[in-house]
Amino acid sequence: MPSGHELSVRPSLPVAEPARHPFIMSTGGCEPLIAAIARAAGVSLRCHYRVRDTGSILAMVAEGLGLSIVAELSLPARHTGVHAIPPSPASSGSSSWPYRGPAPHGHRLRRPGHRPPSGVPVNRIPRHAGHQEPAGVFRRWLCGPPHGSGRAVVPSVDAMILTKTAALALALTTVAPVHDELKTQLDALVDAKAMTAALALVREDGRDRSMAAGVRDLRSKAPADPHGHFRVGSVTKTFVATVLLQLADEGKLSLDDQVSKHLPGALPEGSTVTVRQALNHTSGIFDYAGAGIPGWSVRDYRPRETLYDQTPQELLAVGLSKPAYFKPGGGWRYSNTNYVIAAMLIEKLTGNPYAKEIENRILRPLGLRHTLLPGHRKDLPRPHARGYAPYQGRMVDATRMNPSLEYGAGEIISTTADLATFLDALLGGKLTSGQALKQMRTLEDAGRGMGYGLGLQAFPLPCGGKVYGHSGGTFGYPTYALRSDSGRTLVLSGNPYSGEVPADALPKVLATAFC
């Protein structure tokens, strides 16, 4: 397993679905097979069990697979079954039972190294009529049920072992090839000097694969940290749109309200732009941050201007200083000005800064401790890779900037893990009503096969279908946060440098991650 990469396996399925979550069979004679699986899968397991009289197996597993035994469950010596007991976030170090409430009758659970009081039997599990296993505990017997005759209930114990360990190997290696190929692609971008650093995370079924390529900065050459912070740019728009959809769920506005109803005087008199049109970029309003206005563009780096303090009103005024692209609803054109308006709507409707509403409604409930809206603060939290941008024919350090230039269009700083958690919660239906999420996923044609909903982009996959999320780009920090309907999430952040990024780089990454 490559250094610095980790796969966590957290079993959590009930008894009814054991086949979907295979686990290690503990029985004699299978040590080489399990060790081979560990080497082939290249992963580190964390399981939670102990079976009496199988110490040699567990010792081998602990050494070969890095098992962390946090609870012990003893079984009769004549049975070679396994209980796998998943940990619970609610459990604490003061108790070895990983669920709320006392341990069920007959379970003798102890912290590692703790010896039971003398006279307490731990070699059996008393059972009684009506006894049920707690939710989340699943088991599989190789030699009959507890306290039974001990006869094998399968034609061959060896055949059962091979079947189960093969299933385990398949489960463990599902994400590994994706990780390896994606890491190779990121390394190639760094080798070609297209990037100084690149971070990525692939998440599926509770397993995270984090990786990093390149260096934090060109001076120290310290390796990039896969858990480092970065500017997410326009991924901020998805956070802003989510809060507005929550406010719509609460009846504080309608998506088809005209913006002037809630922000009188903000737009030219007679404007018919609606909230929906601002969120899906069909308003026609000029993009203040587009190339062409020196000092305001987030595409053309200017060291002095990027450090200036800006106000939302100033950003909006720049967007309104140019003619509209088209009449409201008359087409589609990406415009950062739309999300200046969206953030101003949040502040008007709630009476709080839009950043505070994002913090209260999204960051705190989801535990996104490494995501922040910096306001006027120019630096990033450590660790982070430095961003570089072209200026007057050379690459310069563009890490420090005043995020007020982007406000609700692109202010946020985050990490790959936090963005994955946010996207999983949003597209998993945990942050808005089902109807609101459906509207967020209702797409306008954004060209090149892409679609844009309400703060959500849809990217076509080379193998067919779509992934949803958002891309972001600010000086030195392009970002992609995407999720498939099957539940796999990819978060990618890079730091461009002097080399050319191949035109097929993103399609290849999407194919690797999702196809």
Side-chain angles (χ1 to χ4, degrees), residues 12 28 55 91 121 202-203 209 277 281 289 354 364 377 409 427 452 464 468 484:
S12 59
S91 64
V202 178
R203 175 178 294 175
R209 285 277 189 164
Q277 290 167 344
H281 296 296
Y354 92 99
R364 286 183 180 176
R377 287 170 289 173
L427 294 177
Y452 201 98
Y468 291 84
S484 69

Side-chain angles (χ1 to χ4, degrees), residues 335-355:
S335 175
N336 289 282
T337 312
N338 287 318
Y339 276 78
V340 173
I341 294 170
M344 293 173 69
L345 280 168
I346 292 173
E347 296 185 349
K348 181 67 174 181
L349 292 167
T350 65
N352 293 321
Y354 92 99

Side-chain angles (χ1 to χ4, degrees), residues 97-325:
W97 178 243
Y99 302 97
R100 296 184 183 276
H105 173 66
H107 291 269
R108 308 300 184 192
L109 295 165
R110 296 160 287 143
R111 289 183 293 277
H114 175 73
R115 300 185 63 81
S118 59
V120 178
V122 294
N123 63 342
R124 66 185 61 188
I125 305 178
R127 304 181 68 84
H128 54 80
H131 173 82
Q132 296 181 349
E133 301 285 5
V137 178
F138 57 92
R139 59 190 174 88
R140 182 66 56 86
W141 297 96
L142 297 182
C143 301
H147 302 281
S149 63
R151 295 178 180 177
V153 295
V154 292
S156 166
V157 172
D158 289 338
M160 174 68 81
I161 295 169
L162 289 173
T163 299
K164 294 305 175 185
T165 42
L168 173 65
L170 178 62
L172 295 182
T173 57
T174 299
V175 182
V178 173
H179 167 274
D180 295 340
E181 186 174 347
L182 188 56
K183 180 64 164 62
T184 298
Q185 292 171 343
L186 299 186
D187 286 338
L189 290 174
V190 171
D191 292 342
K193 295 188 177 181
M195 299 278 175
T196 58
L199 315 180
L201 178 145
V202 178
R203 175 178 294 175
E204 185 173 34
D205 295 334
R207 303 181 185 99
D208 282 354
R209 285 277 189 164
S210 297
M211 66 203 79
V215 296
R216 295 187 192 183
D217 64 85
L218 296 175
R219 289 186 178 181
S220 73
K221 304 291 187 180
D225 189 328
H227 307 296
H229 297 82
F230 50 88
R231 301 190 190 278
V232 310
S234 288
V235 181
T236 301
K237 292 178 173 66
T238 309
F239 287 80
V240 171
T242 299
V243 172
L244 271 182
L245 267 293
Q246 290 177 342
L247 293 174
D249 282 339
E250 296 163 12
K252 294 182 179 178
L253 84 162
S254 167
L255 294 176
D256 294 315
D257 287 346
Q258 293 186 2
V259 169
S260 58
K261 175 181 178 180
H262 304 286
L263 293 174
L267 299 184
E269 186 175 353
S271 171
T272 61
V273 172
T274 66
V275 176
R276 186 189 304 274
Q277 290 167 344
L279 292 179
N280 66 12
H281 296 296
T282 60
S283 70
I285 296 175
F286 182 81
D287 182 6
Y288 82 91
I293 304 182
W296 297 94
S297 173
V298 294
R299 302 176 188 175
D300 302 321
Y301 179 71
R302 292 172 178 259
R304 180 182 299 178
E305 288 88 340
T306 58
L307 299 179
Y308 290 164
D309 285 335
Q310 312 291 354
T311 68
Q313 291 74 21
E314 289 172 331
L315 304 180
L316 179 57
V318 174
L320 297 177
S321 68
K322 298 286 187 177
Y325 298 123

Side-chain angles (χ1 to χ4, degrees), residues 366-505:
L366 296 182
L368 306 184
R369 297 183 294 108
H370 301 288
T371 301
L372 65 149
L373 293 94
H376 297 272
R377 287 170 289 173
K378 302 175 180 65
D379 294 310
L380 283 78
R382 294 181 180 180
H384 63 265
R386 303 197 72 82
Y388 298 89
Y391 179 68
Q392 296 183 347
R394 60 192 181 93
M395 299 299 292
V396 299
D397 192 326
T399 306
R400 297 186 79 246
M401 68 166 288
N402 193 321
S404 64
L405 176 63
E406 299 198 69
Y407 185 56
E411 175 185 344
I412 287 178
I413 294 169
S414 190
T415 62
T416 56
D418 271 16
L419 288 187
T421 299
F422 166 62
L423 208 55
D424 286 349
L426 174 61
L427 294 177
K430 298 178 181 179
L431 294 178
T432 68
S433 67
Q435 180 60 27
L437 182 57
K438 181 179 179 180
Q439 294 192 64
M440 292 184 78
R441 289 167 55 107
T442 300
L443 304 174
E444 298 289 329
D445 183 5
R448 295 181 296 176
M450 294 190 295
Y452 201 98
L454 306 183
L456 280 177
Q457 289 175 310
F459 289 78
L461 294 174
C463 53
K466 298 181 178 68
V467 288
Y468 291 84
H470 214 290
S471 60
T474 189
F475 305 121
Y477 294 93
T479 299
Y480 291 89
L482 305 169
R483 185 179 188 268
S484 69
D485 286 340
S486 67
R488 179 172 288 187
T489 300
L490 167 70
V491 180
L492 176 68
S493 177
N495 303 95
Y497 198 52
S498 57
E500 290 292 327
V501 177
D504 61 350

Side-chain angles (χ1 to χ4, degrees), residues 18-36:
R20 292 179 57 193
H21 218 300
F23 54 91
I24 294 175
M25 295 290 103
S26 291
T27 187
C30 62
E31 292 94 333
L33 184 57
I34 296 178

